Amino acid sequence: RNEKGFYMNRGDSFRMIGYLSFALADYQQALELDPHDWVIISRISLVHHQYGIKEYTNKRYADAEKCFTTAITCNAKIAQYYISRAWSRFMQKHLPASRADLLRAMYLDSSIEEGVMLAARLYPNQNIDSILNAKSSQKILNQMKELVAGEASTHDQVVLSSNTLAHEPLADENIAQYNTWMERYKANNDDVKVLLETRPSLTQRVPKIISHQKVNQRENTTCGWMKKYFDSRADPVS
């Protein structure tokens, strides 16, 4: 099919039931048809964030961080993505990187609950305002200000073919992870095609329900036959 809406809708269905690899394959197929569609890119970021949540839940914090980084690569304006990566970095004891992500998230949404909880661990005895107003925080906050202003005018810079994050260089290990993801996508896309080609027919072959008219006709025929049968066996009237 050449309709991106078909792949987007099917990808949404796969994502909602937890088939993330199939959802990602469909979204990428849609993106190939329209490489600058921001709605598709946002959906892809959601899938990578969900992948990260699964890795974090399984205590694979380094893998979770990579997934969250990919989500941010797709859409760098979601506070929750930075908070999720901040927590994964915190669990790996990468405290400076975790603080940087917390500041990015707070710039976008200073009231996010997970951010307030993490701030209490990273900045003991400090409130949110003092954290954001600190001199050491201004460099990262200014970077976020420029990022948001730049993305407000154009989204072309976050097309997935880019090998550079809008707010910081993409590490070699993340480039390798992105290339691995692309290979996984191609394999998953082939799997989807095979499943759709070999799926069983949804048509059920069951007996049809006869019409009410035919039911009455059969009842009348049966009753007539039974009447003749019993009449023939009845004793003649004396």
Side-chain angles (χ1 to χ4, degrees):
R1 290 175 180 263
N2 293 324
E3 292 292 335
K4 67 178 181 180
F6 167 78
Y7 292 107
M8 290 176 63
N9 291 336
R10 191 173 67 178
D12 288 342
S13 298
F14 281 137
R15 180 169 56 85
M16 291 177 67
I17 62 177
Y19 290 179
L20 299 183
S21 59
F22 287 172
L24 197 57
D26 272 345
Y27 291 150
Q28 186 65 34
Q29 188 70 43
L31 192 65
E32 289 180 1
L33 297 173
D34 189 353
H36 299 282
D37 190 314
W38 181 243
V39 175
I40 302 173
I41 296 173
S42 297
R43 280 172 162 80
I44 291 175
S45 73
L46 283 172
V47 173
H48 283 293
H49 185 257
Q50 287 181 260
Y51 268 127
I53 294 297
K54 291 177 66 175
E55 298 293 351
Y56 185 93
T57 302
N58 291 321
K59 299 183 179 181
R60 293 191 287 265
Y61 302 120
D63 291 335
E65 179 184 350
K66 292 177 181 179
C67 293
F68 296 140
T69 296
T70 306
I72 292 169
T73 305
C74 303
N75 188 351
K77 294 173 64 177
I78 305 298
Q80 183 62 57
Y81 295 174
Y82 293 104
I83 288 296
S84 296
R85 191 171 67 173
W87 274 106
S88 66
R89 288 174 168 177
F90 177 80
M91 298 304 293
Q92 297 175 81
K93 301 186 185 303
H94 299 164
L95 300 187
S98 181
R99 291 190 183 98
D101 273 342
L102 175 64
L103 290 173
R104 293 176 178 121
M106 288 298 182
Y107 177 85
L108 296 171
D109 183 0
S110 60
S111 64
I112 188 168
E113 182 177 356
E114 295 93 331
V116 175
M117 295 171 57
L118 183 58
R121 300 191 180 195
L122 291 173
Y123 297 92
N125 303 320
Q126 294 188 52
N127 58 38
I128 300 301
D129 289 337
S130 64
I131 295 172
L132 294 177
N133 292 327
K135 185 177 180 180
S136 58
S137 303
Q138 298 312 303
K139 180 178 179 180
I140 291 177
L141 295 178
N142 288 334
Q143 289 176 352
M144 288 301 296
K145 183 177 181 179
E146 293 175 2
L147 170 66
V148 172
E151 287 197 354
S153 59
T154 177
H155 293 305
D156 291 349
Q157 60 184 323
V158 290
V159 172
L160 291 186
S161 60
S162 173
N163 284 329
T164 303
L165 286 175
H167 59 283
E168 60 185 11
L170 188 63
D172 290 340
E173 61 180 9
N174 289 329
I175 295 176
Q177 188 265 343
Y178 173 81
N179 292 332
T180 301
W181 167 72
M182 285 298 296
E183 292 299 323
R184 185 194 310 166
Y185 150 68
K186 294 176 182 178
N188 288 337
N189 196 37
D190 291 338
D191 290 341
V192 171
K193 292 178 181 178
V194 170
L195 285 174
L196 292 176
E197 290 172 357
T198 59
R199 63 180 179 178
S201 173
L202 298 178
T203 303
Q204 296 186 6
R205 300 183 180 277
V206 297
K208 294 182 178 179
I209 299 176
I210 62 175
S211 65
H212 182 69
Q213 182 179 1
K214 288 187 177 181
V215 170
N216 291 336
Q217 183 179 354
R218 291 184 182 182
E219 287 181 350
N220 292 336
T221 301
T222 302
C223 291
W225 176 84
M226 292 177 65
K227 183 177 185 303
K228 290 180 180 179
Y229 174 79
F230 286 110
D231 286 347
S232 67
R233 294 178 62 87
D235 292 333
V237 178
S238 302

